[in-house]
Amino acid sequence: MTPTTRSVGLLAVGALLLTSGCAALSDDSGSSASGSDSGKVQIAAAFYPLEFVAERVAGDLAEVTPLTKPGVEPHDLELSINQTAALQSADLILTEHGFQPAVDDAVEQDVKGEVVDVEKVVELRKAEEGHEDEHAEGEEDEHAHGESDPHFWHDPLLMAQYAEGVRDALVKADPDNAETYEANAKSLTENLTGVDEEFKTGLAQCKIKDVVVSHDAFGYLDKYGLEFESIAGLTPDAEPNPAQLAEIGEHAKEHGVTTIFSERLVSTALADTLADDLGLKTAVLDPIEGLSADTEGEDYLSLMRQNLDALKAANGCQ
């Protein structure tokens, strides 16, 4: 092989490697995760409720990349190369600090977009004292959320507040379409206010006030007059010990609980076992942290209404 022939061969190999590298940074649809030629605002949304807000407020004017795919428990998220690239190139990054450590770590790296962090827009409620580790057996829950309960989306009015923050960020990033973002946010707020009213009315008169749930994701619903006792802590993997399970069982019997609620995306074993031991029914109460194979055709609003129907049935609400 002559030097010239060898050089041409090396250039060809180099071009092939470069092409392969670019392909590796493409998402499932084949478009580049490191940017877009569409001219649309690029949004990276950490998990489903934030994705829902982004899609409703931005409409067709943005491309929303969900970092947590359906079927993935958001606390367990590990970012792929594609997702990290999407974060680095996004115009807006929607996240909740402390909820997903992998996303927090990536955001602290080289991101160019504006970060719309839930805790900067919404006043989160404080977690019950000691809740970070009271259900963890043997060691402290590694996903402790600090002093705040992150599950704000179970209060539709707080979701409306976050939508306003996303609207403002979109207007800043794309002022030419400000009127559309404002109209979309207003429409979403009307939907969210409607769901809030449905919960107020639907749970106003319940024979049973106590609810036993799989993990401590529903505290924001106590504004509607119910009290939630969780089997696990703020994260689904913070399992109770046998003594704590027995205590929860006694609480359920004492307060006339009829149903032990499990959830999608995580094992139902603890809820099923407790219900069997107590002779109670089981049902699903969705934390709406992410979609599943069963709920890919649903959205936040329909899942909230499913939860409302489940609570009404379990608690004898008129």
Side-chain angles (χ1 to χ4, degrees):
M1 180 182 292
T2 66
T4 302
T5 304
R6 182 173 182 274
S7 299
V8 171
L10 289 173
L11 286 172
V13 171
L16 179 61
L17 290 172
L18 181 60
T19 301
S20 300
C22 291
L25 287 176
S26 296
D27 60 20
D28 295 339
S29 65
S31 62
S32 172
S34 60
S36 172
D37 296 327
S38 67
K40 296 183 178 182
V41 178
Q42 300 298 302
I43 302 176
F47 58 100
Y48 176 68
L50 310 188
E51 175 192 349
F52 170 77
V53 170
E55 290 177 340
R56 283 293 306 268
V57 178
D60 296 332
L61 298 176
E63 293 179 351
V64 180
T65 299
L67 300 182
T68 305
K69 301 294 184 181
V72 175
E73 213 294 319
H75 296 92
D76 299 333
L77 177 67
E78 296 293 338
L79 294 175
S80 67
I81 294 175
N82 293 349
Q83 292 168 323
T84 301
L87 270 172
Q88 291 173 340
S89 64
D91 300 302
L92 298 180
I93 299 167
L94 310 188
T95 185
E96 182 169 14
H97 182 76
F99 191 67
Q100 295 171 294
V103 177
D104 292 345
D105 292 343
V107 168
E108 290 174 2
Q109 305 304 315
D110 184 24
V111 295
K112 71 179 182 67
E114 179 179 352
V115 178
V116 186
D117 190 339
V118 169
E119 68 178 7
K120 304 296 184 183
V121 180
V122 171
E123 184 175 351
L124 299 174
R125 59 177 268 154
K126 289 186 177 181
E128 293 182 24
E129 186 176 354
H131 233 313
E132 282 82 38
D133 60 357
E134 70 176 1
H135 289 289
E137 185 175 9
E139 60 182 39
E140 185 174 348
D141 177 11
E142 64 181 12
H143 297 297
H145 296 293
E147 297 181 353
S148 299
D149 181 345
H151 306 91
F152 77 98
W153 54 91
H154 288 289
D155 183 342
L157 298 187
L158 293 183
M159 277 284 274
Q161 286 185 24
Y162 189 67
E164 291 176 358
V166 174
R167 175 203 63 198
D168 293 345
L170 280 165
V171 168
K172 181 179 178 181
D174 182 21
D176 290 344
N177 289 302
E179 290 186 4
T180 300
Y181 298 133
E182 290 167 358
N184 289 347
K186 181 179 179 181
S187 174
L188 176 56
T189 295
E190 290 173 353
N191 292 155
L192 294 168
T193 301
V195 170
D196 179 63
E197 289 297 326
E198 289 174 36
F199 268 78
K200 286 179 181 176
T201 302
L203 301 179
Q205 299 183 39
C206 298
K207 295 178 181 178
I208 303 167
K209 294 295 184 181
D210 288 74
V211 185
V212 176
V213 295
S214 184
H215 91 277
D216 188 19
F218 301 95
Y220 286 86
L221 290 177
D222 66 8
K223 64 179 276 188
Y224 302 112
L226 299 181
E227 297 183 12
F228 291 82
E229 181 73 17
S230 61
I231 299 173
L234 283 171
T235 58
D237 55 355
E239 295 186 359
N241 60 41
Q244 290 163 335
L245 266 179
E247 183 180 341
I248 294 168
E250 287 299 319
H251 179 90
K253 288 189 291 185
E254 180 182 345
H255 292 86
V257 169
T258 66
T259 305
I260 304 297
F261 285 105
S262 61
E263 60 186 70
R264 302 179 177 100
L265 298 180
V266 297
S267 172
T268 64
L270 276 175
D272 291 342
T273 298
L274 183 60
D276 286 344
D277 290 345
L278 299 173
L280 302 179
K281 296 182 292 184
T282 59
V284 172
L285 201 65
D286 199 323
I288 323 182
E289 295 180 349
L291 297 178
S292 69
D294 295 330
T295 60
E296 280 192 272
E298 305 291 340
D299 68 6
Y300 166 85
L301 298 172
S302 65
L303 290 173
M304 284 290 284
R305 291 186 171 106
Q306 286 182 18
N307 281 351
L308 174 58
D309 289 341
L311 289 169
K312 288 168 65 176
N315 288 60
C317 307
Q318 298 177 352

